[in-house]
Each structure stands twice: as structure tokens, then as C-alpha cells.
Amino acid sequence: MSYRDKLKAVLSPAERAVFSKLNSPEKIQDYLDTLSINFETKGETYMSPRRVMREKTAHCFEGALLAAAAFAYHGSKPLLLDLQTIDRDEDHVVALFAEDRRWGATSKTNHPILRYRDPVYKTVRELAMSYFHEYMMDDGTKSLRNFSKPFDLSKYVPAEWVTEEKELDWLVDALDNSKHFPIAPSYTIRKLRKASPIEIKAINNTEWPNPPSS
């Protein structure tokens, strides 16, 4: 049985109806854009695509999983790309896809940066580097440091990550501990120029407002 067939077998009819419509990277990204940002107001979550579709909210990891599942549903490899940062920033995860031997990515984020990438990149490294100048702190520090080898979710049966009801901490750990490559040598990183105030101002725009504090 193909991975696609294994995935279809664990989905409900309603879930299959959603995935059947997500038959291109553009449609997958459009669907992710309809989901509110998961602010994790009740505690940290790592939800499966089943839970994301039910709750209609996601953060970057959860959105990347749903996108990867949609790609798998239509016969492509479910691939993740992990972007690792300095300790005081947050990592970002996207789902990879390839068209005409060029790489692109779908992404769930609340900011005008770190978003969808059209498939124009010859290598995964090229694609990862496209995020470099967008990844910055409020003090202007450029914070992206490493990117992962494409992480193939098809090594796991679909029930372990697509329809699981428990938090997927184990999968986050597996991705974090997978093979990564440095963005640049340490001597280059030490000489990075800080982002300008106008760049910092731009990244602080958000699509979904923070929920009111209780």
C-alpha cells in the first residue's frame, strides 16, 4: 500500500474532503491563511493536522504539518524544513515542495515575513537563505543560524502524526535533533550588521491580533 493510501485510510470522510481540495501549493497556503494563529493561551501545543482542522488554528509547526499531510495526500513527499535561531528567538518550520526541480515552501506565520516561497530556488539551502534577512530581533540582531536537511515525515505511519490526538512533542524533538547545516561560518556571523529601524518596524506588523489578556 502506498503512503498516500495509508494516509487516506486513517482520515475521516470530512478530512478527506478538505485534503482533496488542497491539490496545489497555492491552495494549501490559502487554506493555512484562513486559520487563526495559535497563541497557545492555554499552554504549549503541538497539534496534529486532524486537531488543527478541528480547532481551525495553528502556529508554524502545526501549519507545516498540515501542509505536509496535504502534499502526502496528493502523492508528494511530506517534507519539513526547520530553521533554527539564537536562543532568545524562536525557530520556524515550513513545509517544502518541489516543482520543475525548483524548491518552494508553505508557511504559517503571524508576521509579514517568513512566509510562502514560490518554487524558484535550485536548492534547499537557497530557499533557507531567503529567510535570512527577514529573521531579526527587536534590537536588530539577525538571528537565523541553521537549517535542517529536508525532514521526511513518511518515515512515520500517518496515524502517528496526521491523526494523533496527543501533543507531538516527540516529533518536534526528532526534527530539532535531525541533521542541520550552518547558515554561515562563525566568523561571518560575528560581523553581521544589525537591521535598520525601518526593517524592525516592518516585521512587527501582525495579521492576527494578540488575544486580550485574562
Side-chain angles (χ1 to χ4, degrees):
M1 183 184 291
S2 69
Y3 197 81
R4 177 183 182 181
D5 289 338
K6 291 177 182 177
L7 173 55
K8 288 184 175 182
V10 300
L11 296 173
S12 69
E15 290 164 345
R16 289 196 293 272
V18 172
F19 279 123
S20 67
K21 296 176 182 178
L22 304 182
N23 58 3
S24 72
E26 294 88 349
K27 290 179 181 178
I28 294 170
Q29 186 63 57
D30 289 346
Y31 181 83
L32 292 182
D33 289 348
T34 69
L35 303 174
S36 66
I37 282 291
N38 179 8
F39 288 102
E40 300 176 304
T41 56
K42 297 181 181 179
E44 189 174 63
T45 66
Y46 294 112
M47 296 190 294
S48 67
R50 167 169 284 175
R51 292 176 61 195
V52 167
M53 288 189 287
R54 186 171 66 228
E55 301 295 332
K56 294 180 171 51
T57 187
H59 51 55
C60 73
F61 176 80
E62 294 164 342
L65 280 192
L66 190 146
F71 286 126
Y73 186 92
H74 292 281
S76 297
K77 284 277 190 181
L79 301 175
L80 300 182
L81 175 67
D82 184 36
L83 301 169
Q84 292 182 337
T85 66
I86 59 176
D87 289 342
R88 59 193 176 99
D89 203 354
E90 295 182 1
D91 295 353
H92 189 57
V93 181
V94 299
L96 295 171
F97 65 92
E99 290 184 351
D100 300 322
R101 294 185 292 180
R102 294 290 190 275
W103 290 96
T106 63
S107 175
K108 182 63 182 174
T109 180
N110 198 29
H111 296 273
I113 60 171
L114 308 181
R115 286 184 170 262
Y116 179 86
R117 292 295 189 261
D118 289 295
V120 299
Y121 302 97
K122 286 185 178 181
T123 66
V124 172
R125 176 177 171 79
E126 274 192 6
L127 188 152
M129 292 300 291
S130 76
Y131 291 107
F132 178 76
H133 282 97
E134 295 186 348
Y135 229 130
M136 66 190 78
M137 306 295 293
D138 284 342
D139 65 359
T141 299
K142 293 165 185 170
S143 54
L144 185 59
R145 293 295 180 267
N146 305 294
F147 66 96
S148 72
K149 178 181 178 181
F151 186 88
D152 189 355
L153 288 162
S154 65
K155 68 179 78 174
Y156 309 110
V157 297
E160 288 184 308
W161 64 277
V162 180
T163 57
E164 176 59 66
E165 291 292 343
K166 296 178 182 178
E167 305 298 343
L168 298 175
D169 302 77
W170 65 269
L171 185 51
V172 175
D173 291 339
L175 176 60
D176 196 50
N177 293 325
S178 66
K179 186 174 181 58
H180 284 65
F181 306 94
I183 285 289
S186 57
Y187 59 82
T188 300
I189 295 296
R190 288 195 296 270
K191 296 187 292 182
L192 294 177
R193 179 183 182 273
K194 286 195 172 184
S196 63
I198 189 64
E199 291 175 290
I200 297 167
K201 181 180 179 180
I203 68 167
N204 282 318
N205 289 320
T206 56
E207 182 175 11
W208 298 88
N210 289 329
S213 52
S214 54

